[in-house]
Amino acid sequence: MPSSKPPNHSSSGGAPQPGEAPELIWLRPERTGRGPRPAHSRTSIAAAAIEIADAEGLDAASMRRVAAALGAGTMSLYNYVPKKEHLLDLMLDAVAGEYDFTALAPTGDCRADLRRLAHEQLATLRRHPWAAALVIARPGLGPNALRYTDHFLAVTEPSGLDGAARLEALALLNGFVCQYAQYERTAAAGAKWQAELAGYLGRAAMSGQYPHLAAAFATATPPSGDPDTVFDRSLDRVITAALAPVTPP
């Protein structure tokens, strides 16, 4: 998945030194071209890991479990994926490859296009409940995430914002969608906690100690029970902020 953090254009920590193995898996060739044809590929390894994570959670997608699913020895898997962090990068980029950019082709209407893109992203994160937290903790920019980034820049080109502002808008929107997906997952797993929280806030508002909270509760419309309605309402606010002209300090 694309990054939910603003890009860092610093030149520090750049290209690896001669003889040093690159930290980014995308800088490592998948195969050298010498020797027998590999029995596995990054694509098949990522697919096996995603299947495990979707069914049992991210922690279950260990190198040992993935190797067993592929019928390989655990140590042999490190020939393809040198470390667990690389496996996570491959998994996120494989998920980012699920977008159908033909169906999401820019129409010239930035707001409408961003709504469609955000809904597609939320649907993807709902299919892979482990992915949102991973995007926030370890954002990646593999080949599929770069295609997403390029598509986002095409969608927002009519906004008139410069490239830096549009990249910041990308981080803002991605961060919102990931956080919303995380909230949905937490809420679904903690219905009792949610009910207790609502009661706690209601009592706090009536205590007289929090007048602004009480006023907000008094004028609030009844919350919608439809998660997509809540998402759309919040999404429109975030899109407005993301596309707002940048004013100099």
Side-chain angles (χ1 to χ4, degrees):
M1 299 292 285
S3 172
S4 61
K5 299 179 182 179
N8 182 352
H9 300 293
S10 171
S11 60
S12 61
Q17 298 300 312
E20 178 187 9
E23 172 61 24
L24 285 177
I25 192 169
W26 315 115
L27 296 178
R28 296 173 178 238
E30 184 161 6
R31 59 176 302 194
T32 62
R34 294 174 293 182
R37 183 175 183 83
H40 307 289
S41 67
R42 289 176 179 175
T43 299
S44 64
I45 291 169
I50 288 171
E51 185 174 356
I52 294 170
D54 286 350
E56 303 177 45
L58 187 61
D59 289 343
S62 65
M63 299 289 274
R64 179 183 61 80
R65 286 287 307 278
V66 174
L70 293 169
T74 302
M75 296 310 298
S76 69
L77 201 64
Y78 287 95
N79 294 325
Y80 304 90
V81 185
K83 54 199 291 190
K84 177 63 180 287
E85 289 79 7
H86 291 157
L87 178 63
L88 300 179
D89 293 341
L90 292 175
M91 293 169 68
L92 275 185
D93 203 59
V95 169
E98 295 181 9
Y99 290 95
D100 180 1
F101 293 123
T102 301
L104 296 168
T107 66
D109 183 338
C110 288
R111 293 188 68 92
D113 290 345
L114 289 176
R115 285 192 202 98
R116 288 192 303 152
L117 193 57
H119 273 279
E120 185 69 20
Q121 183 177 5
L122 182 61
T124 301
L125 294 174
R126 284 171 172 170
R127 289 195 300 272
H128 307 290
W130 50 270
L134 187 54
V135 172
I136 295 169
R138 186 180 171 84
L141 276 177
N144 288 320
L146 287 174
R147 292 187 190 98
Y148 178 98
T149 301
D150 197 68
H151 177 82
F152 186 97
L153 292 172
V155 162
T156 53
E157 191 169 16
S159 69
L161 297 174
D162 64 22
R166 282 149 61 203
L167 287 171
E168 290 173 355
L170 168 64
L172 177 63
L173 280 164
N174 282 345
F176 163 71
V177 177
C178 288
Q179 291 285 1
Y180 190 86
Q182 273 287 86
Y183 169 77
E184 275 193 333
R185 186 183 182 194
T186 302
K192 184 174 184 294
W193 177 84
Q194 287 282 335
E196 290 179 354
L197 178 62
Y200 169 75
L201 289 175
R203 290 191 298 273
M206 291 186 295
S207 70
Q209 299 181 56
Y210 312 100
H212 297 289
L213 179 63
F217 273 35
T219 58
T221 56
S224 168
D226 177 17
D228 288 330
T229 299
V230 177
F231 179 74
D232 280 333
R233 189 165 58 239
S234 301
L235 175 63
D236 277 339
R237 295 190 182 105
V238 175
I239 290 175
T240 296
L243 297 180
V246 179
T247 55

